[in-house]
Amino acid sequence: MITTALSEAFGQYTLKPHQIVPLDFHSVDTLPETHVWPPPPGPELVNTAAGDGQLVFPVPVIDFSVPEDSSGKLMVEACETWGVFQLVNHGIPLEILAAVEAQTKRLFALPASRKLEALRSPNGVNGYGQARFASLFDKNMWNEGFTVMGSPADHARKLWPDDYQGFCDVIEDYQKRMRELAARLLGLILRSANTPAQEIRRISSPSATMTTLQLNSYPPCPDPTRAMGMAPHTDTSFLTLLYQGGVKGLQIFSDRGGGGGGGGWGMVDPVDGGITVNVGDLLHVVSNARFHTARHRVVLREARQRVSVGLFFVPTADCVLSPLACGGGGGEGEVCRYRAVSVKEYIGLKYKGFETVLSAITK
């Protein structure tokens, strides 16, 4: 029922077939005009010391094996400043990360005709296709995805009719482990920010939260400097936990690195075996804007495939959120920046105004 409710929240925005079906990337040797992006506004910061002309932002790398008092404080500071940190010694075995990366590559290596057997429905969330928010942009992105909300079995059977169980076993094990990690992280961050225990339980209990898993592939591109792997956006989540693999591409926008005070884009260089954690819109809201929702994108710079696996830790669709500081949580007397909003309403507002959704709930 929980997954159905969130699927319905997204599914009220029906897509057209061309908004779902990715390009057959293996059938083209030049960049189609439909995938040529104009130069993005704002500076792209350059640091020649980075080796490839891309600035690498020094986002915190946090060791989860140290005492929680210390790691929790560091997480709060990272959420306040960057909205992103990388987590090491997180308890997810390296062989599990390698297995999910291998299954992701196995999926996207299938012929286009086979992948289309598992195509997402026009009002669905699960299955193969372009990212749902791709429909909000004029140009197409150079990626393909596979979304798992609940069990992947129905779609996996269409991909591998006689050999789908191995994929399901790896994906379901990964989902379970990452959900447990996400719940621990959210609880620790909120406790370290002096949020009352009853408020933490209300918004982060198993019955109040769920996960969506997103497998992404960014194939080699014939003209990567004019294409966009993933357009700039923020996540509709409490937290997003991303395994990047070993290929760079994820950038965040930050004022902290900007020349002339204007801000700019910088790379989040993947740490071996690390998990990249970023703040989503909904944690930004409940923190009363204390935590910075991370605006990010994926650029194409390497002439090889990049895959990533993101887990979105989200409240259920009917959950009503408002700044916890205004309910006695960690900031008595603080002025609320946002009104109360249900997750379902927030999703609707984001589809109507992708760049202005937070303004729509500002008091």
Side-chain angles (χ1 to χ4, degrees):
M1 290 296 293
I2 290 176
T3 57
T4 300
L6 197 58
S7 295
E8 289 175 351
F10 283 102
Q12 58 189 313
Y13 306 99
T14 301
L15 301 180
K16 297 177 181 178
H18 74 272
Q19 296 172 319
I20 305 171
V21 179
L23 179 70
D24 181 0
F25 296 100
H26 302 294
S27 69
V28 297
D29 53 15
T30 59
L31 184 68
E33 186 61 33
T34 53
H35 289 70
V36 175
W37 283 65
E44 179 162 340
L45 307 179
V46 175
N47 175 8
T48 55
D52 60 358
Q54 296 297 305
L55 179 71
V56 176
F57 278 158
V59 300
V61 178
I62 298 175
D63 188 341
F64 204 33
S65 67
V66 304
E68 286 193 349
D69 285 351
S70 176
S71 60
K73 179 181 177 182
L74 292 173
M75 288 177 196
V76 167
E77 291 174 353
C79 292
E80 290 174 332
T81 52
W82 295 101
V84 177
F85 58 89
Q86 297 202 69
L87 194 68
V88 296
N89 293 322
H90 40 65
I92 309 296
L94 293 180
E95 56 268 27
I96 299 297
L97 298 178
V100 78
E101 182 174 357
Q103 290 294 337
T104 300
K105 289 180 176 178
R106 177 191 176 203
L107 187 160
F108 291 115
L110 291 170
S113 58
R114 177 57 64 87
K115 288 181 286 192
L116 290 176
E117 294 291 325
L119 189 67
R120 181 189 307 121
S121 67
N123 62 347
V125 175
N126 282 323
Y128 176 72
Q130 298 188 81
R132 264 193 152 269
F133 80 95
S135 63
L136 304 176
F137 295 90
D138 294 331
K139 293 291 186 176
N140 291 324
M141 305 173 210
W142 195 265
N143 73 69
E144 52 187 334
F146 186 84
T147 307
V148 180
M149 187 182 292
S151 172
D154 286 347
H155 285 93
R157 285 190 186 96
K158 298 174 182 177
L159 296 171
W160 303 283
D162 301 316
D163 186 25
Y164 67 90
Q165 194 58 53
F167 176 84
C168 293
D169 289 346
V170 169
I171 295 300
E172 289 172 357
D173 182 44
Y174 186 80
Q175 278 183 302
K176 178 177 181 295
R177 291 172 184 267
M178 292 294 281
R179 177 183 177 127
E180 291 171 352
L181 177 59
R184 287 182 62 196
L185 291 175
L186 181 62
L188 178 56
I189 290 168
L190 292 176
R191 287 197 304 275
S192 300
N194 300 316
T195 306
Q198 68 271 18
E199 290 294 331
I200 297 175
R201 287 193 296 270
R202 182 180 69 82
I203 67 170
S204 64
S205 68
S207 62
T209 54
M210 60 168 295
T211 60
T212 299
L213 193 69
Q214 181 67 33
L215 314 182
N216 288 310
S217 172
Y218 305 90
C221 181
D223 193 355
T225 60
R226 296 202 301 150
M228 180 67 70
M230 189 74 76
H233 67 287
T234 59
D235 293 337
T236 306
S237 63
F238 278 146
L239 293 173
T240 301
L241 278 59
L242 180 72
Y243 176 58
Q244 294 199 62
V247 182
K248 290 188 291 186
L250 176 68
Q251 291 186 332
I252 61 169
F253 188 88
S254 177
D255 294 334
R256 294 176 62 83
W265 292 98
M267 199 75 71
V268 179
D269 214 351
V271 175
D272 287 345
I275 300 293
T276 303
V277 181
N278 71 265
V279 173
D281 294 353
L282 301 179
L283 183 55
H284 174 82
V285 169
V286 299
S287 73
N288 205 29
R290 176 179 178 180
F291 297 151
H292 176 68
T293 185
R295 182 173 173 81
H296 54 286
R297 69 183 185 185
V298 174
V299 296
L300 308 169
R301 292 294 183 268
E302 299 197 34
R304 55 174 170 152
Q305 181 189 32
R306 177 180 185 268
V307 298
S308 66
V309 183
L311 180 124
F312 303 97
F313 190 61
V314 298
T316 55
D318 59 352
C319 184
V320 177
L321 302 173
S322 59
L324 300 178
C326 307
E332 197 169 321
E334 188 173 332
V335 176
C336 280
R337 294 188 59 172
Y338 303 114
R339 65 171 176 83
V341 61
S342 72
V343 173
K344 183 175 182 179
E345 181 191 0
Y346 189 87
I347 291 170
L349 290 170
K350 197 163 187 177
Y351 269 86
K352 293 175 183 176
F354 194 68
E355 301 290 342
T356 59
V357 58
L358 288 172
S359 299
I361 62 169
T362 298
K363 283 192 168 183

